[in-house]
Amino acid sequence: AQSVSQHNHHVILSEAASLELGCNYSYGGTVNLFWYVQYPGQHLQLLLKYFSGDPLVKGIKGFEAEFIKSKFSFNLRKPSVQWSDTAEYFCAVNRDFGNEKLTFGTGTRLTIIP
Amino acid sequence: GAGVSQSPSNKVTEKGKDVELRCDPISGHTALYWYRQSLGQGLEFLIYFQGNSAPDKSGLPSDRFSAERTGGSVSTLTIQRTQQEDSAVYLCASSPSPTQYFGPGTRLLVL
């Protein structure tokens, strides 16, 4: 069974700082990779996704993520964070077999200080 | 367009009572998933529907949990004889494959 690790449980940054949140997965086959964001009081929203092709994917609100197959990683980045980025971020993976359940990491709580 | 909707948004029940949680997926999405989000366990998969059938029920934690889907649309998750450890946010997602879109969840509190 696949698993997902997010090593940063709580990250605190000042506005305009750069962000990188780590995500590693364990599964030997082909996977689809996702980052979801949950703003305070809101539901899970898709931030970006990777299926195949260019390993650097861009999502909404200036976020991007890079798939490094050799490291089983899919880290999320943003060059300059804003206070409105305060949220919980979840990395998720499913097997590339059509409709497959998502396996989530434990989430990273991001707090941006104005 | 309309997203995934869930009802009720909040449910408080007494231990031992049965509860039903409802999910309305995005129109046209054939796949539907239930997940549970709790403090101790994070986000856990419960069950997956393709149309009206459930090819993967592996995440249901006990036989007190069941779910059905009718007309390839609305799904109901039923928890019988609720226990305090069932307190969590129950999330529904629908998918045209492989991306899943989530509803707002039902927050269940078992007293």
Side-chain angles (χ1 to χ4, degrees):
Chain A
Q2 61 265 39
S3 65
V4 179
S5 297
Q6 292 182 246
H7 302 295
N8 313 107
H9 297 296
H10 189 190
V11 173
I12 303 173
L13 294 172
S14 298
E15 275 194 316
S18 64
L19 169 71
E20 181 159 4
L21 300 183
C23 173
N24 288 88
Y25 67 94
S26 66
Y27 180 66
T30 305
V31 295
N32 301 310
L33 295 153
F34 306 85
W35 277 96
Y36 285 87
V37 59
Q38 190 168 30
Y39 296 103
Q42 296 187 29
H43 62 281
L44 275 171
Q45 300 173 38
L46 181 68
L47 202 53
L48 48 76
K49 59 192 177 186
Y50 172 80
F51 300 153
S52 63
D54 188 344
L56 184 63
V57 292
K58 295 190 184 298
I60 59 172
K61 305 187 180 186
F63 285 91
E64 63 179 32
E66 185 176 12
F67 171 52
I68 303 179
K69 189 173 181 180
S70 61
K71 295 185 177 180
F72 296 88
S73 70
F74 190 56
N75 292 355
L76 181 70
R77 300 196 292 247
K78 186 171 184 179
S80 177
V81 294
Q82 301 173 307
W83 177 79
S84 58
D85 293 326
T86 295
E88 189 144 17
Y89 293 79
F90 294 92
C91 182
V93 61
N94 65 5
R95 299 182 304 174
D96 189 25
F97 284 167
N99 285 312
E100 275 278 317
K101 64 186 178 186
L102 287 168
T103 299
F104 284 89
T106 51
T108 297
R109 184 153 58 104
L110 176 65
T111 301
I112 305 300
I113 301 169
Chain B
V4 178
S5 61
Q6 293 185 245
S7 60
S9 53
N10 290 282
K11 177 73 178 178
V12 180
T13 190
E14 294 178 349
K15 178 181 171 181
K17 300 282 190 185
D18 297 352
V19 294
E20 283 190 353
L21 312 179
R22 177 187 168 106
C23 171
D24 277 281
I26 294 171
S27 178
H29 285 190
T30 57
L32 184 148
Y33 305 79
W34 284 97
Y35 294 85
R36 180 168 71 173
Q37 185 175 23
S38 56
L39 278 176
Q41 303 297 324
L43 275 152
E44 306 171 281
F45 165 78
L46 297 177
I47 187 169
Y48 152 58
F49 286 93
Q50 180 62 40
N52 291 337
S53 63
D56 189 351
K57 306 178 183 179
S58 62
L60 294 178
S62 77
D63 59 8
R64 296 185 296 105
F65 287 72
S66 63
E68 65 175 11
R69 189 179 184 195
T70 55
S73 182
V74 171
S75 176
T76 303
L77 177 69
T78 301
I79 309 173
Q80 296 179 308
R81 305 180 302 281
T82 51
Q83 303 294 312
Q84 288 179 332
E85 61 263 28
D86 300 335
S87 295
V89 178
Y90 289 82
L91 298 173
C92 176
S94 71
S95 172
S97 180
T99 304
Q100 296 178 28
Y101 298 92
F102 284 81
T106 294
R107 185 175 299 276
L108 175 66
L109 178 61
V110 182
L111 299 176

